[in-house]
Every structure is written in C-alpha cells, then in structure tokens.
Amino acid sequence: LSSAHPIIASRSFKEMVIDFFSKKNFDEWLKTIQYDPMYPLIKDSGLFISDPYKVSTGLSGREEAFMSKFTKDIPWVRMSERAYLGFLNKLRVDTFKQISTRFIKSGIDPEKEAHIFTSLANFVNTASGRGSLGNFNKVAPELNTFLFSPRLIASRFNMLNPAWYLRQPPQVRRESIKTMAEFIGVVSSILMLS
C-alpha cells in the first residue's frame, strides 16, 4: 500500500513516530476514529483496526508480530507495538477512506453494493499483511504459535495469486492490480539501482 499511496504512507509514518513516544496520541486516535463519518462503513466492511486494549477480541484482535502477552510489560516492546499499530491502523483506514470516497463519488452505493466495500476492506487488509485464512481464521492465534504470522503469509500468497484478483469485483480488481503493479515497479527500480 505504501508504494501505491505514498502520501498516506508518509502521514502514517509520521503518526508512527509520534505514537512511539506518545501513548496519549495513540489512545486519542483509537478514540476519535469512532466518530469519523465513515466509521460505520469501515466496520461494516470488515476493515481491520487493531486495538490492543479490547479484551473481547482476545489475541485475534492483535497484530501477529505482537501476539505474545508476556512481553507487553517491557517498555521498549510496548512503544514498538504502539508505533507499529499506529502506522498500520492509519494506513489501512486512510487508504480505505480514500478509495471508498472515490467509489461513492462514481455512483457506487455503500448500502446497495456493500459487497464492493467488503471486498475493498479485504483488499486493504490483505495488502497491509492481514490476509484471510478462510476457515482457519478462528484458530489464527493458535497457528501463530508454530507458524510465524500466518495471516501475513496468506496475504502474500493472495497478492501473488491471479485467481484472487479474479474473485474481486471489477472496481476492487483494478485497485488491486494497480497497487501490485506499482509495488513491482518500485521494487524493480530499487533493484536496478543497486
């Protein structure tokens, strides 16, 4: 997502740096996002927002890199988790909002065509390393104990799988292909320069 949306990524990076040093800033973002006019669409579509404070979601509500509860009392780990979650949350939400706004302006109704926004949320989740495990979603925390970041692995397989793109609605498919093409372009340019 960062190569396809560099302005959003740079704003998210700024947020990440602030969140590393400021728990208050991180908590404030989690609180205020619920008052965003697009928040109902974000939640209904299934966009993942990581909230380490929600007990009800358990480990499945956390990012895979920070699944362990044993290290949460180490200040450096807490600060790193906050920064990591702040970056990913802002990147996901801002990317989803930007593309959703474009879809809505083009005449796509979020209520009548909710499947398009659900597919968009799935794409944003996948492109940011939180792929769906299908029937294994419920046991993702258990899978993480012996397989490092199964959702990340699933997301990478999805992004490389042409069939995954074909299953998307045309509007989301175009976004997915454009994002992957821009990522390949950036990586290729870096490799050619080195």
Side-chain angles (χ1 to χ4, degrees), residues 183-194:
F183 172 72
I184 290 169
V186 168
V187 171
S188 300
S189 299
I190 292 169
L191 291 174
M192 285 172 50
L193 290 172
S194 56

Side-chain angles (χ1 to χ4, degrees), residues 94-108:
D94 289 356
T95 302
F96 180 85
K97 284 172 57 176
Q98 183 185 66
I99 299 170
S100 292
T101 302
R102 197 171 347 115
F103 283 1
I104 293 166
K105 284 181 180 175
S106 72
I108 300 171

Side-chain angles (χ1 to χ4, degrees), residues 24 30 58 81 89 107 129 132 147 149 153 166 189-190:
K24 181 181 177 185
L30 280 176
E81 179 182 23
N89 283 342
S132 173
L147 181 67
S149 296
I153 294 168
L166 292 173
S189 299
I190 292 169

